[in-house]
Amino acid sequence: MDSSDIGIAQRGPMRREGNSLPMTLADWLAYLDRIHPRSMDLGLERVGRVRDLLGLFPAFPILMVAGTNGKGSTCAYLRATLKAAGYRVGTYTSPHLVRYNERVVVDGIPVSDAQLCAAFARIETARQGISLTPFEFGTLAAVDIFQRTPVDVAVLEVGLGGRLDAVNLFEPTVSLLTGIALDHETWLGSTREAIGAEKAGIFRAGVPALCADPDPPLSLLARAAELETPLWLWGRDFTVERQAQGTWTLNMPHQTWSDLPAPSLSGDFQYRNAALALAALQRTAVRVTPEQGRRGIADVVLSGRFQTLRFSPQVILDVAHNPQAAQELAHNLGEVPCAGRTRLVLGMLRDKDRVGVVRALDTQVDDWYLADLHEERGACREEMEPALRGVRGTVQWHPSPEQAYGAACAAAVAEDRVVVCGSFVTVGKILALHGGLPEMRQNSP
Protein backbone atom coordinates (compact mmCIF):
# COMPACT_ATOMS: atom_id res chain seq x y z
CA MET A 1 0.00 0.00 0.00
CA ASP A 2 1.28 3.52 -0.63
CA SER A 3 0.36 7.15 -0.19
CA SER A 4 0.39 7.88 -3.90
CA ASP A 5 -2.32 5.33 -4.74
CA ILE A 6 -4.97 7.44 -3.01
CA GLY A 7 -8.59 6.37 -3.41
CA ILE A 8 -11.29 8.99 -3.83
CA ALA A 9 -14.25 7.17 -2.25
CA GLN A 10 -16.54 9.21 0.05
CA ARG A 11 -15.44 12.56 -1.37
CA GLY A 12 -18.20 14.99 -2.21
CA PRO A 13 -18.67 18.75 -2.59
CA MET A 14 -16.72 20.76 -0.07
CA ARG A 15 -18.73 22.85 2.37
CA ARG A 16 -16.48 25.59 3.68
CA GLU A 17 -17.85 29.01 4.48
CA GLY A 18 -15.69 31.68 6.07
CA ASN A 19 -13.75 30.23 8.98
CA SER A 20 -16.18 27.36 9.62
CA LEU A 21 -14.80 23.83 9.61
CA PRO A 22 -16.09 21.06 7.35
CA MET A 23 -18.90 19.10 8.97
CA THR A 24 -18.75 15.60 7.50
CA LEU A 25 -15.94 13.22 6.62
CA ALA A 26 -16.72 13.65 2.93
CA ASP A 27 -16.43 17.42 3.35
CA TRP A 28 -13.12 17.06 5.20
CA LEU A 29 -11.63 14.80 2.52
CA ALA A 30 -12.70 17.20 -0.22
CA TYR A 31 -11.19 20.09 1.76
CA LEU A 32 -7.89 18.26 2.33
CA ASP A 33 -7.62 17.65 -1.41
CA ARG A 34 -7.73 21.37 -2.07
CA ILE A 35 -5.60 23.06 0.57
CA HIS A 36 -2.14 21.94 -0.61
CA PRO A 37 -0.87 22.71 -4.12
CA ARG A 38 0.36 19.13 -4.62
CA SER A 39 -1.13 15.80 -3.51
CA MET A 40 2.43 14.50 -3.03
CA ASP A 41 5.08 16.62 -1.30
CA LEU A 42 7.71 14.47 0.40
CA GLY A 43 9.53 16.04 3.34
CA LEU A 44 9.28 16.21 7.11
CA GLU A 45 9.78 19.89 7.91
CA ARG A 46 6.19 21.13 7.49
CA VAL A 47 4.41 18.13 8.99
CA GLY A 48 7.02 17.98 11.77
CA ARG A 49 6.16 21.50 12.87
CA VAL A 50 2.49 20.59 13.09
CA ARG A 51 3.32 17.42 15.03
CA ASP A 52 5.16 19.58 17.55
CA LEU A 53 2.24 22.01 17.83
CA LEU A 54 -0.09 19.07 18.49
CA GLY A 55 2.28 17.45 21.00
CA LEU A 56 2.20 14.10 19.22
CA PHE A 57 5.01 12.20 20.94
CA PRO A 58 3.46 8.80 21.68
CA ALA A 59 4.76 6.67 24.52
CA PHE A 60 3.38 3.39 23.12
CA PRO A 61 5.64 1.05 21.11
CA ILE A 62 5.59 1.63 17.34
CA LEU A 63 6.18 -1.07 14.73
CA MET A 64 7.04 0.79 11.51
CA VAL A 65 6.59 -1.11 8.23
CA ALA A 66 8.09 -0.04 4.90
CA GLY A 67 8.80 -1.82 1.60
CA THR A 68 7.57 -2.04 -1.98
CA ASN A 69 5.09 -4.93 -1.71
CA GLY A 70 3.70 -6.89 1.22
CA LYS A 71 3.35 -4.02 3.68
CA GLY A 72 -0.40 -4.42 4.10
CA SER A 73 -0.13 -8.18 4.67
CA THR A 74 2.68 -7.74 7.19
CA CYS A 75 0.68 -5.10 9.08
CA ALA A 76 -2.30 -7.48 9.12
CA TYR A 77 -0.20 -10.30 10.61
CA LEU A 78 1.17 -7.92 13.25
CA ARG A 79 -2.30 -6.67 14.12
CA ALA A 80 -3.85 -10.13 14.36
CA THR A 81 -1.00 -11.57 16.43
CA LEU A 82 -0.95 -8.65 18.86
CA LYS A 83 -4.72 -8.87 19.20
CA ALA A 84 -4.41 -12.61 19.94
CA ALA A 85 -1.94 -11.67 22.68
CA GLY A 86 -4.51 -9.36 24.27
CA TYR A 87 -3.08 -5.98 23.23
CA ARG A 88 -5.14 -3.00 22.12
CA VAL A 89 -3.63 -2.30 18.70
CA GLY A 90 -3.83 0.79 16.55
CA THR A 91 -3.08 0.19 12.85
CA TYR A 92 -2.48 2.89 10.24
CA THR A 93 -2.33 1.75 6.61
CA SER A 94 -2.91 3.28 3.18
CA PRO A 95 -4.53 3.57 0.77
CA HIS A 96 -8.05 2.38 1.47
CA LEU A 97 -10.16 0.22 -0.79
CA VAL A 98 -13.74 1.33 -0.13
CA ARG A 99 -13.92 3.67 2.88
CA TYR A 100 -11.31 6.08 4.21
CA ASN A 101 -11.93 4.73 7.73
CA GLU A 102 -10.12 1.51 6.74
CA ARG A 103 -6.85 3.40 7.16
CA VAL A 104 -7.19 3.92 10.92
CA VAL A 105 -8.17 0.81 12.89
CA VAL A 106 -8.28 0.35 16.66
CA ASP A 107 -8.74 -3.12 18.12
CA GLY A 108 -9.72 -4.49 14.73
CA ILE A 109 -12.46 -1.87 14.15
CA PRO A 110 -12.12 1.10 11.75
CA VAL A 111 -12.53 4.37 13.63
CA SER A 112 -15.74 6.33 13.16
CA ASP A 113 -16.36 9.33 10.93
CA ALA A 114 -16.75 11.41 14.10
CA GLN A 115 -13.32 10.40 15.42
CA LEU A 116 -11.65 11.27 12.13
CA CYS A 117 -13.49 14.60 11.84
CA ALA A 118 -12.51 15.54 15.38
CA ALA A 119 -8.86 14.69 14.72
CA PHE A 120 -8.87 16.67 11.46
CA ALA A 121 -10.38 19.64 13.31
CA ARG A 122 -7.65 19.52 15.96
CA ILE A 123 -4.98 19.47 13.25
CA GLU A 124 -6.64 22.29 11.32
CA THR A 125 -6.74 24.45 14.45
CA ALA A 126 -3.15 23.65 15.42
CA ARG A 127 -1.40 23.99 12.05
CA GLN A 128 -1.59 27.81 11.99
CA GLY A 129 -1.57 28.04 8.21
CA ILE A 130 1.17 25.46 7.65
CA SER A 131 0.27 23.60 4.45
CA LEU A 132 -0.18 19.82 4.65
CA THR A 133 -0.94 17.15 2.05
CA PRO A 134 -3.92 14.82 2.57
CA PHE A 135 -1.56 12.00 3.51
CA GLU A 136 0.22 14.17 6.09
CA PHE A 137 -3.13 15.18 7.57
CA GLY A 138 -4.16 11.52 7.70
CA THR A 139 -0.94 10.40 9.36
CA LEU A 140 -1.19 13.01 12.10
CA ALA A 141 -4.86 12.17 12.61
CA ALA A 142 -4.11 8.46 13.06
CA VAL A 143 -1.42 9.04 15.69
CA ASP A 144 -3.60 11.65 17.42
CA ILE A 145 -6.44 9.12 17.67
CA PHE A 146 -4.10 6.37 18.89
CA GLN A 147 -2.65 8.67 21.53
CA ARG A 148 -6.09 9.72 22.79
CA THR A 149 -7.63 6.21 22.75
CA PRO A 150 -5.01 5.15 23.97
CA VAL A 151 -3.59 2.02 22.35
CA ASP A 152 -1.05 -0.40 23.81
CA VAL A 153 0.97 -0.62 20.59
CA ALA A 154 0.73 0.90 17.10
CA VAL A 155 1.53 -0.53 13.67
CA LEU A 156 2.34 2.28 11.22
CA GLU A 157 2.68 1.58 7.50
CA VAL A 158 4.96 3.94 5.58
CA GLY A 159 3.16 5.48 2.63
CA LEU A 160 5.95 5.95 0.13
CA GLY A 161 9.68 5.34 0.49
CA GLY A 162 10.61 5.94 4.08
CA ARG A 163 13.14 8.71 4.64
CA LEU A 164 10.80 11.60 3.78
CA ASP A 165 7.44 9.95 4.48
CA ALA A 166 5.28 11.54 7.18
CA VAL A 167 5.15 8.25 9.14
CA ASN A 168 8.91 8.55 9.63
CA LEU A 169 8.33 11.51 11.97
CA PHE A 170 7.64 9.03 14.72
CA GLU A 171 10.17 6.89 16.55
CA PRO A 172 9.94 3.15 15.86
CA THR A 173 10.49 0.49 18.47
CA VAL A 174 11.37 -1.82 15.59
CA SER A 175 11.63 -1.13 11.84
CA LEU A 176 10.41 -3.67 9.27
CA LEU A 177 11.26 -3.73 5.56
CA THR A 178 9.29 -6.20 3.47
CA GLY A 179 11.32 -5.98 0.26
CA ILE A 180 12.72 -3.62 -2.36
CA ALA A 181 11.50 -3.44 -5.96
CA LEU A 182 11.06 -0.81 -8.65
CA ASP A 183 8.03 1.40 -8.03
CA HIS A 184 7.48 5.15 -7.67
CA GLU A 185 10.71 5.78 -9.57
CA THR A 186 9.76 9.45 -10.08
CA TRP A 187 10.06 10.06 -6.35
CA LEU A 188 12.41 7.32 -5.10
CA GLY A 189 14.89 6.71 -7.93
CA SER A 190 15.18 4.32 -10.85
CA THR A 191 17.35 1.61 -9.25
CA ARG A 192 16.94 -0.77 -6.33
CA GLU A 193 19.99 0.82 -4.73
CA ALA A 194 18.38 4.28 -4.78
CA ILE A 195 15.05 2.94 -3.56
CA GLY A 196 16.75 0.88 -0.86
CA ALA A 197 18.50 3.98 0.48
CA GLU A 198 15.16 5.79 0.73
CA LYS A 199 13.44 2.93 2.51
CA ALA A 200 16.37 2.50 4.91
CA GLY A 201 15.51 6.01 6.08
CA ILE A 202 13.28 4.40 8.73
CA PHE A 203 16.33 2.86 10.42
CA ARG A 204 17.48 4.41 13.71
CA ALA A 205 20.75 4.18 15.58
CA GLY A 206 20.62 1.23 17.95
CA VAL A 207 16.96 0.41 17.16
CA PRO A 208 16.27 -3.15 15.95
CA ALA A 209 15.35 -3.60 12.29
CA LEU A 210 14.50 -6.50 9.99
CA CYS A 211 14.57 -6.86 6.21
CA ALA A 212 12.73 -9.67 4.40
CA ASP A 213 14.21 -8.97 0.97
CA PRO A 214 16.17 -12.06 -0.19
CA ASP A 215 18.72 -9.78 -1.90
CA PRO A 216 18.87 -6.50 0.06
CA PRO A 217 20.47 -3.54 -1.75
CA LEU A 218 23.96 -2.61 -0.61
CA SER A 219 22.71 0.90 0.12
CA LEU A 220 20.36 -0.50 2.74
CA LEU A 221 23.10 -2.57 4.38
CA ALA A 222 25.44 0.41 4.35
CA ARG A 223 22.89 2.61 6.09
CA ALA A 224 22.35 0.00 8.80
CA ALA A 225 26.11 -0.27 9.32
CA GLU A 226 26.51 3.50 9.44
CA LEU A 227 23.86 3.85 12.14
CA GLU A 228 24.89 0.65 13.94
CA THR A 229 21.33 -0.55 13.52
CA PRO A 230 21.01 -4.17 14.74
CA LEU A 231 19.62 -5.64 11.51
CA TRP A 232 18.15 -9.10 11.04
CA LEU A 233 18.17 -10.33 7.45
CA TRP A 234 15.95 -12.90 5.75
CA GLY A 235 17.89 -16.10 5.08
CA ARG A 236 20.57 -15.25 7.63
CA ASP A 237 18.90 -14.32 10.91
CA PHE A 238 15.35 -15.56 10.35
CA THR A 239 14.30 -18.35 8.02
CA VAL A 240 11.30 -20.55 7.25
CA GLU A 241 11.18 -24.34 6.92
CA ARG A 242 7.95 -25.54 5.36
CA GLN A 243 6.59 -29.00 6.10
CA ALA A 244 4.70 -31.20 3.67
CA GLN A 245 1.47 -31.01 5.66
CA GLY A 246 1.40 -27.18 5.32
CA THR A 247 2.81 -26.24 8.70
CA TRP A 248 6.11 -24.40 9.00
CA THR A 249 8.91 -23.55 11.39
CA LEU A 250 10.35 -20.10 12.02
CA ASN A 251 14.04 -20.10 12.94
CA MET A 252 15.43 -17.06 14.77
CA PRO A 253 18.59 -16.46 16.78
CA HIS A 254 18.27 -18.41 20.04
CA GLN A 255 14.62 -19.29 19.33
CA THR A 256 12.57 -21.59 17.10
CA TRP A 257 8.81 -21.57 16.64
CA SER A 258 7.41 -24.77 15.16
CA ASP A 259 4.02 -26.09 14.02
CA LEU A 260 2.92 -22.70 12.72
CA PRO A 261 -0.17 -22.91 10.48
CA ALA A 262 -0.11 -21.95 6.82
CA PRO A 263 -0.78 -18.20 6.52
CA SER A 264 -4.45 -17.48 5.96
CA LEU A 265 -3.56 -15.16 3.05
CA SER A 266 -2.80 -16.89 -0.26
CA GLY A 267 0.60 -16.99 -1.97
CA ASP A 268 4.00 -18.48 -1.19
CA PHE A 269 5.41 -15.03 -0.39
CA GLN A 270 3.00 -14.82 2.58
CA TYR A 271 5.27 -17.15 4.54
CA ARG A 272 7.95 -14.48 4.33
CA ASN A 273 5.55 -11.71 5.37
CA ALA A 274 4.28 -13.76 8.30
CA ALA A 275 7.83 -14.66 9.37
CA LEU A 276 8.84 -11.00 9.22
CA ALA A 277 5.95 -10.03 11.49
CA LEU A 278 6.56 -12.76 14.06
CA ALA A 279 10.33 -12.23 14.12
CA ALA A 280 9.88 -8.48 14.56
CA LEU A 281 7.69 -9.00 17.61
CA GLN A 282 10.50 -10.97 19.23
CA ARG A 283 12.70 -7.89 19.01
CA THR A 284 10.43 -5.74 21.16
CA ALA A 285 9.34 -5.73 24.78
CA VAL A 286 5.87 -6.71 23.61
CA ARG A 287 5.39 -10.31 24.75
CA VAL A 288 3.86 -12.75 22.28
CA THR A 289 3.89 -16.53 22.74
CA PRO A 290 4.16 -19.11 19.95
CA GLU A 291 0.52 -20.11 20.51
CA GLN A 292 -0.59 -16.49 20.14
CA GLY A 293 1.51 -16.29 16.99
CA ARG A 294 -0.22 -19.38 15.61
CA ARG A 295 -3.64 -17.84 16.24
CA GLY A 296 -2.62 -14.55 14.67
CA ILE A 297 -1.23 -16.08 11.49
CA ALA A 298 -4.33 -18.23 11.04
CA ASP A 299 -6.86 -15.46 11.78
CA VAL A 300 -5.75 -12.77 9.31
CA VAL A 301 -8.35 -11.50 6.86
CA LEU A 302 -7.30 -8.86 4.32
CA SER A 303 -9.25 -7.99 1.21
CA GLY A 304 -7.63 -7.56 -2.19
CA ARG A 305 -4.72 -9.95 -1.66
CA PHE A 306 -5.43 -12.88 -4.01
CA GLN A 307 -8.90 -12.83 -2.49
CA THR A 308 -11.52 -15.19 -3.87
CA LEU A 309 -14.73 -13.22 -3.93
CA ARG A 310 -16.96 -15.93 -5.33
CA PHE A 311 -16.93 -19.26 -7.18
CA SER A 312 -18.45 -20.54 -10.45
CA PRO A 313 -17.21 -18.54 -12.15
CA GLN A 314 -14.41 -17.77 -9.74
CA VAL A 315 -13.67 -14.09 -9.05
CA ILE A 316 -10.22 -13.17 -7.68
CA LEU A 317 -9.24 -9.68 -6.48
CA ASP A 318 -5.62 -8.60 -6.14
CA VAL A 319 -4.23 -5.08 -5.70
CA ALA A 320 -1.05 -5.89 -7.68
CA HIS A 321 0.02 -2.63 -9.32
CA ASN A 322 3.73 -2.98 -10.10
CA PRO A 323 5.75 -5.63 -11.98
CA GLN A 324 6.95 -7.52 -8.91
CA ALA A 325 3.44 -7.83 -7.50
CA ALA A 326 2.11 -8.78 -10.95
CA GLN A 327 4.72 -11.54 -11.18
CA GLU A 328 3.55 -12.90 -7.82
CA LEU A 329 -0.06 -12.75 -9.02
CA ALA A 330 0.86 -14.59 -12.24
CA HIS A 331 2.67 -17.25 -10.18
CA ASN A 332 -0.38 -17.75 -7.96
CA LEU A 333 -2.67 -18.04 -10.99
CA GLY A 334 -0.31 -20.59 -12.52
CA GLU A 335 -0.32 -22.64 -9.32
CA VAL A 336 -4.11 -23.01 -9.44
CA PRO A 337 -5.04 -23.13 -13.16
CA CYS A 338 -8.70 -23.07 -14.11
CA ALA A 339 -10.40 -25.35 -16.64
CA GLY A 340 -11.77 -22.44 -18.64
CA ARG A 341 -10.56 -18.98 -19.61
CA THR A 342 -8.89 -16.37 -17.41
CA ARG A 343 -10.58 -13.01 -17.94
CA LEU A 344 -8.57 -10.14 -16.46
CA VAL A 345 -10.07 -6.76 -15.52
CA LEU A 346 -7.27 -4.18 -15.40
CA GLY A 347 -7.32 -0.52 -14.43
CA MET A 348 -4.08 1.30 -13.56
CA LEU A 349 -2.65 4.66 -12.59
CA ARG A 350 -0.61 6.46 -15.20
CA ASP A 351 2.54 6.70 -13.07
CA LYS A 352 2.84 2.91 -12.76
CA ASP A 353 4.88 0.60 -15.01
CA ARG A 354 1.98 -0.50 -17.19
CA VAL A 355 4.19 -2.38 -19.67
CA GLY A 356 5.89 -4.32 -16.88
CA VAL A 357 2.59 -5.31 -15.28
CA VAL A 358 1.06 -6.49 -18.58
CA ARG A 359 4.15 -8.50 -19.50
CA ALA A 360 4.16 -10.21 -16.11
CA LEU A 361 0.52 -11.27 -16.48
CA ASP A 362 0.37 -12.05 -20.20
CA THR A 363 1.08 -15.79 -19.97
CA GLN A 364 -1.89 -16.29 -17.63
CA VAL A 365 -4.52 -14.16 -19.38
CA ASP A 366 -6.87 -15.26 -22.17
CA ASP A 367 -9.04 -12.13 -22.35
CA TRP A 368 -8.21 -8.57 -21.25
CA TYR A 369 -10.94 -6.18 -20.06
CA LEU A 370 -9.31 -2.76 -19.82
CA ALA A 371 -10.91 0.01 -17.77
CA ASP A 372 -10.41 3.76 -17.76
CA LEU A 373 -9.81 5.12 -14.26
CA HIS A 374 -11.51 8.48 -13.92
CA GLU A 375 -9.23 9.61 -11.12
CA GLU A 376 -6.68 12.42 -11.01
CA ARG A 377 -3.88 10.00 -11.87
CA GLY A 378 -5.90 7.27 -13.58
CA ALA A 379 -4.66 5.91 -16.91
CA CYS A 380 -7.03 6.25 -19.87
CA ARG A 381 -7.27 4.07 -22.97
CA GLU A 382 -4.75 6.11 -24.93
CA GLU A 383 -2.20 5.72 -22.12
CA MET A 384 -2.86 2.00 -21.65
CA GLU A 385 -2.95 0.91 -25.30
CA PRO A 386 0.84 0.79 -25.87
CA ALA A 387 1.22 -1.67 -22.98
CA LEU A 388 -1.27 -4.09 -24.57
CA ARG A 389 0.44 -4.37 -27.94
CA GLY A 390 1.41 -7.95 -28.68
CA VAL A 391 -0.47 -9.65 -25.85
CA ARG A 392 -1.62 -13.14 -26.70
CA GLY A 393 -5.26 -12.73 -25.58
CA THR A 394 -8.20 -10.71 -26.82
CA VAL A 395 -8.49 -7.06 -25.69
CA GLN A 396 -11.57 -4.92 -25.13
CA TRP A 397 -11.96 -1.49 -23.57
CA HIS A 398 -14.51 -0.12 -21.10
CA PRO A 399 -15.13 3.33 -19.59
CA SER A 400 -14.99 2.12 -15.97
CA PRO A 401 -13.87 -0.84 -13.82
CA GLU A 402 -17.50 -1.61 -13.02
CA GLN A 403 -18.40 -1.90 -16.71
CA ALA A 404 -15.28 -3.94 -17.51
CA TYR A 405 -16.09 -6.28 -14.63
CA GLY A 406 -19.69 -6.58 -15.70
CA ALA A 407 -18.64 -7.52 -19.24
CA ALA A 408 -16.14 -10.10 -17.99
CA CYS A 409 -18.70 -11.72 -15.69
CA ALA A 410 -21.36 -11.72 -18.41
CA ALA A 411 -19.00 -13.54 -20.79
CA ALA A 412 -17.70 -16.01 -18.20
CA VAL A 413 -19.00 -19.54 -17.92
CA ALA A 414 -18.81 -21.68 -14.79
CA GLU A 415 -15.31 -23.01 -15.42
CA ASP A 416 -13.81 -19.57 -16.18
CA ARG A 417 -12.30 -17.14 -13.71
CA VAL A 418 -12.39 -13.34 -13.56
CA VAL A 419 -9.34 -11.62 -12.07
CA VAL A 420 -9.45 -7.93 -11.05
CA CYS A 421 -6.17 -6.08 -10.46
CA GLY A 422 -4.06 -3.03 -11.31
CA SER A 423 -4.70 -0.61 -8.44
CA PHE A 424 -6.41 -0.17 -5.10
CA VAL A 425 -8.94 2.04 -6.87
CA THR A 426 -9.92 -0.71 -9.35
CA VAL A 427 -10.24 -3.42 -6.70
CA GLY A 428 -12.06 -1.06 -4.34
CA LYS A 429 -14.73 -0.27 -6.89
CA ILE A 430 -15.45 -3.96 -7.41
CA LEU A 431 -15.50 -4.63 -3.68
CA ALA A 432 -18.01 -1.79 -3.31
CA LEU A 433 -20.27 -3.53 -5.84
CA HIS A 434 -20.25 -6.57 -3.56
CA GLY A 435 -21.01 -4.68 -0.38
CA GLY A 436 -17.56 -3.61 0.79
CA LEU A 437 -14.88 -5.39 2.79
CA PRO A 438 -16.04 -8.62 4.51
CA GLU A 439 -13.61 -8.15 7.40
CA MET A 440 -14.82 -4.60 8.01
CA ARG A 441 -18.48 -5.66 7.94
CA GLN A 442 -17.60 -8.44 10.39
CA ASN A 443 -15.79 -6.11 12.77
CA SER A 444 -18.08 -3.09 12.56
CA PRO A 445 -19.65 -2.00 15.87
Side-chain angles (χ1 to χ4, degrees), residues 374-407:
H374 299 285
E375 312 289 347
E376 180 183 357
R377 292 168 41 244
C380 63
R381 174 172 178 171
E382 290 72 21
E383 292 164 319
M384 286 294 299
E385 275 186 331
L388 274 294
R389 290 173 187 156
V391 296
R392 68 183 188 90
T394 67
V395 178
Q396 54 179 273
W397 303 87
H398 297 273
S400 72
E402 294 92 336
Q403 288 167 288
Y405 176 69

Side-chain angles (χ1 to χ4, degrees), residues 49 54 68 109 136 152 162 220 258 319 323 392:
R49 286 160 57 199
L54 287 163
T68 304
I109 300 173
E136 291 166 345
D152 298 320
L220 184 150
S258 57
V319 294
R392 68 183 188 90

